Each structure stands twice: as C-alpha cells, then as structure tokens.
Amino acid sequence: MDPRSEVLLRQADLFSGNLLLAGLQPDDLLGQLPEATGWSWHAGDHQRLQARFAGRCTFGVEPPTTAFEAAVLFLPKSRELTDYLLNALAARLPGGLLYLVGEKRAGVERAARQLAPFGEARKLDSARHCQLWQVRVENSPPVPDLQALAQHFQLERPDGSLQIVSLPGVFSHGRLDRGTELLLDQLGGLPTGRLLDFGCGAGIIGASLKKRYPDSEVVLLDVDAFAVESSRMTLAANDLEAEVIAGDGIDAAPDGCSAIISNPPFHQGVHTHYEASETLLQRAASHIRPGGELRLVANAFLKYPPLIETHLGPCETLINADGFRIYRAKRG
Ligand SMILES: C[S@@+](CC[C@H](N)C(=O)[O-])C[C@H]1O[C@@H](n2cnc3c(N)ncnc32)[C@H](O)[C@@H]1O
C-alpha cells in the first residue's frame, strides 16, 4: 500500500462517501473505500486500476464529469500541475471538502499553501512521512482553462521553425531540454518507415521527425496524459499529422518500427526510476524491424551501452557533450 493511501485509511470514516481520488496509486485503496472513484493521468496506473476495479477509474487531463462530494489530491511532482489540479477539483466542489495528501520530502507542507485561495486549510494528520490536509472550498474558482495554462515556445531548426506547446507537469515545461536539443541535431540518416518517439513529452522529437521525414509514419508515445495532450497540441500547432499513444512502456508501442528515437525517462517523482528505460533497451529489438535502429540521448553517467549491446547490437556513441551522450544501435 502506498504510504499516502495508508494515511487516508487512518481517517477512513472521512472518506467513506462518494469521493474522488485524484492521482491515486495502483494499490488497494479503491478496494478499501468501496464508494470512491479514481482519476489518473498515468496510463500504467490507470491500466492496473482498471484491471482490478473496472469502471471505477478514469484517465485524462480533466476530472471525470460524474458527480463527487469530496476529493483527495495525491500530490504530484510539479507545482504548476498541482495548481491546475487543485483548481480543477475545487471548481467542482463549492462548499465541499478538498484534501491534499503527499510525502513530506515531496514538499506537501509547501504545497498545502496552494489551498489558501479556496478557504482555511488545516493539517489533519502526519504519519508515514506524509501529511494530510483539508480545506472546505468557501471560494470555488472558475473551471481552469487548460489550453490557457499551456506554454508556447518556438524552435528554429534547419528544416524550419516549430511551435512547441507544453502543459503543466510535462518534462521541461516551456523550454527545450539540453539533451533533447543535442538529439535534435542528430536526427539525420534515420531509416524511414515508422518512426517512434518513445516518451514524447511535449512532442518535440516527434514533431521534428515528422517535419524532417514527412513521408514516414510518426508515432509518439507517453505514459502521461498531460504529455500526450501536449504532443497533440504541438502537432496541431504545426499542422503535422502523427499518431499519439497513451501507454506505459515500450510494450504499448507498435511493432515494425524503422527507428525508435528517445530521450528516455530516468527520473520520476521523488524516487529515481530506470525501469521504463531499461525495459525499452531490453525490448526495443522486438519493436524494430531488421535493419532499423535505436537512437537515444542519455546522461553520460547512465550505463546504457552494455544493455543496448546485450539486447540489440553494437552501440555507437555519436556525440558526447555537456554531460550527455547520443547512442545509436542498429538491429542486425
Ligand atoms: C526525459 S522526458 C523526454 C520528453 C521529450 N521527449 C523531450 O525530449 O522533451 C521522458 C518522458 O518519458 C515519459 N515516460 C516516463 N515513463 C514512461 C513509461 N513507462 N512509458 C512511456 N513514457 C514514459 C515521461 O512522461 C516523459 O515525458
């Protein structure tokens, strides 16, 4: 059980009614709170919750339209995303109770200050290195306009300019990551066909690929609903067509790719996770056609080449700059 769920269960009488759990973890909380429903923006968590509690969890960037009497937000990583989520929930709860639960090291005490515009917040519990806060929504805000919260920036590339749109919580929100920038400079000579941008974020790599290889089919994949929505917005802003998939890990990707291009995830929340990237390296070969390739950027300290060589083939370092490496490996 996630420690934040355990903290909620210490006050289970508060949460026995028609409650929305926003950003809940794929644990047994829905089993313990039979009247509660969930809202997740993580495709993997959502899939796991659906498998156990079919029909009790929705996926997306907006709260479900069904009625709820109170809501709990599991604190996400980004401050901007927290702000959007709290406003989206408070807008649906005039006079109702809104709760925030999070780990102390994730900054829940600071995030609790974001409850102040809605009413007087109070700390209900502190346990398992987490805190639980509550506010009665005296001042219900208008429904936030997610489009208006998007950040827009322009990239000047040799093959033209690109408009990038990113939503709160998306990797490198509102700016170009240096690793991504280095990878964009190394997109030449890819085998055409089906190109996959794995872990697409705001869709910078995928949109660049479609611009550079207009005759190729481009697929963008991310686990996060806000990233998927940002990628769709980026493609639309540039009149580019590509498929965008919400999915968890490389297993959600189509087969027969001519190339997989990625700035893969290696950090998630307050805990460090390499799992999605390691699984990508282990299983990429089964999604790449013979003669196709994997091209990715990674922090130089990450020991990816041995994994790539074990599972795909000889790994070449195209460049080594600013603490990043660009790797290329072909499937024989
Ligand atoms: C380092 S960011 C790169 C984003 C974007 N490609 C760029 O370069 O700006 C990695 C991305 O992988 C996504 N991600 C994390 N875990 C994932 C998983 N299991 N499956 C698919 N995508 C995942 C994250 O949401 C994030 O958008």
Side-chain angles (χ1 to χ4, degrees), residues 53-108:
F53 307 105
R56 288 183 59 197
C57 186
T58 57
F59 173 77
V61 294
E62 278 164 7
T65 49
T66 46
F68 47 89
E69 289 158 6
V72 179
L73 175 64
F74 285 69
L75 179 65
K77 194 169 73 170
S78 136
R79 191 179 197 288
E80 289 113 329
L81 181 59
T82 303
D83 196 52
Y84 164 70
L85 295 166
L86 288 175
N87 276 281
L89 295 169
R92 297 280 305 280
L93 286 172
L97 290 170
L98 175 58
Y99 298 85
L100 175 69
V101 66
E103 288 184 272
K104 287 185 202 158
R105 63 177 171 171
V108 65

Side-chain angles (χ1 to χ4, degrees), residues 162-185:
L162 267 183
Q163 299 291 328
I164 308 300
V165 188
S166 76
L167 289 171
V170 172
F171 174 77
S172 199
H173 182 41
R175 64 175 187 89
L176 178 63
D177 171 70
R178 179 68 181 135
T180 307
E181 184 177 17
L182 291 168
L183 183 58
L184 291 184
D185 291 337

